[in-house]
Amino acid sequence: MKVFITGGAGFIGSHLAGYLLEQGKQVFVLDDLSTGAIENIVHLKGNPAFHYQIDSIMNIPAAAELVDRCDIVYHLAAAVGVRLIVESPVRTIETNIRGTEIILDLANKKKKKVIVTSTSEVYGKSSKVPFTETDDLVLGSTDKGRWSYACSKAIDEFLALAYWREKRLPVVVVRLFNTVGPRQTGQYGMVLPNFVRQALSGEPITVFGNGLQSRCFSHVADIVRALNDLSQQSQAVGQVFNIGSDEEVTILQLAERVKSACRSSSEIKMIPYEKAYGSGFEDMQRRVPDISKVRQLIGYRPTYNLDQIIASVVEHERSLLR
Ligand code: UDP
């Protein structure tokens, strides 16, 4: 079995590549290293079943060749991270929409199954708890750049489902909730690697807003296993699935737990959103997935709790300091 991972040098993509190699697959990766990094895949390079190409999914001939060679496509290439979205909105919108159009169009020519990774961000600022796949999406106004990410991913979902309905291209859409773990970069805003680095270096741990906003964090190892399991289920085709954890934590509690896991003396410092992301920024207050659908189909249950997740990120970040 040959698998093609777009964005395979990214944080989640590289973990997926490693996992699928362990499952005995031939793995082909295309990544332009825009937010991915070669260090994410160095440990895979010696494996004869691992192949990678540094290029953009916008390079249609390169993407077409890999779609043709492989049996299934995991489409993870995307512009991600709240900071990137706020700072480079054109890139976010274009990469996410155009890139997905290209991959779906190419896959459709050979009717190759595509696993499209979307995001919990599409639920927007809805205050519903938990979020279920068929819930309304509640996005903010277009003058608030953050929502362009949710909107671009919602278009990707519409397009993928349209390819299934209209052209019978087998697609599975997965909405990933906050996914964390070793190798995630803090460069684009992601909270956990930032907190761990701050705690280990004794710098202030920067909590944005009042810290009462909450999230549910999943370990990337649980997520990539679920992506593989879903890809093998014919009943998943044409469907949308939340994948995440239902262990909710406020960002302030997360800061305290990271501080204690690192035995750090860092102060926990509140930073107003305007200072962190510029004026007019809107955050989500709570983001909890209903994971009953994915549980029913593939028996999905997170195997890492938050303490174990924090410990694995701390261990990784410590190893980088050695
Ligand atoms: N956050 C924070 N400090 C940071 C980075 C992020 O307090 O250094 C907050 C952010 O405002 C959000 C939460 O942590 O409320 C999760 O942010 P992240 O960017 O990791 O993911 P999001 O859920 O916003 O996509």
Side-chain angles (χ1 to χ4, degrees), residues 5 43 59 88 91 157 179 189 196 209 250 261-262 270 314:
I5 307 175
H43 61 295
N59 179 347
S88 312
R91 178 165 146 207
E157 292 194 18
T179 305
V196 170
T250 70
C262 297
M270 306 292 192
V314 171

Side-chain angles (χ1 to χ4, degrees), residues 32 38 43 50 63 70 81 109 116 121 135 150 156 169 185 212 225 229 242 267 269 302 317 320:
D32 66 359
I38 210 79
H43 61 295
F50 181 70
C70 294
K109 291 188 176 129
V116 176
E121 185 83 19
D135 284 344
D156 287 353
L169 173 70
T185 164
L212 299 181
R225 189 171 35 84
D229 290 352
N242 288 337
E267 76 168 296
K269 197 171 170 188
E317 293 297 330
L320 297 180

Side-chain angles (χ1 to χ4, degrees), residues 122-133:
V122 297
Y123 291 106
K125 50 184 175 176
S126 163
S127 54
K128 189 170 170 286
V129 177
F131 290 133
T132 303
E133 288 85 348

Side-chain angles (χ1 to χ4, degrees), residues 3 5 15-25 27 74 228:
V3 306
I5 307 175
H15 280 275
L16 180 64
Y19 180 73
L20 294 175
L21 287 166
E22 280 166 24
Q23 304 299 306
K25 315 265 162 82
V27 173
Y74 291 87
N228 178 48

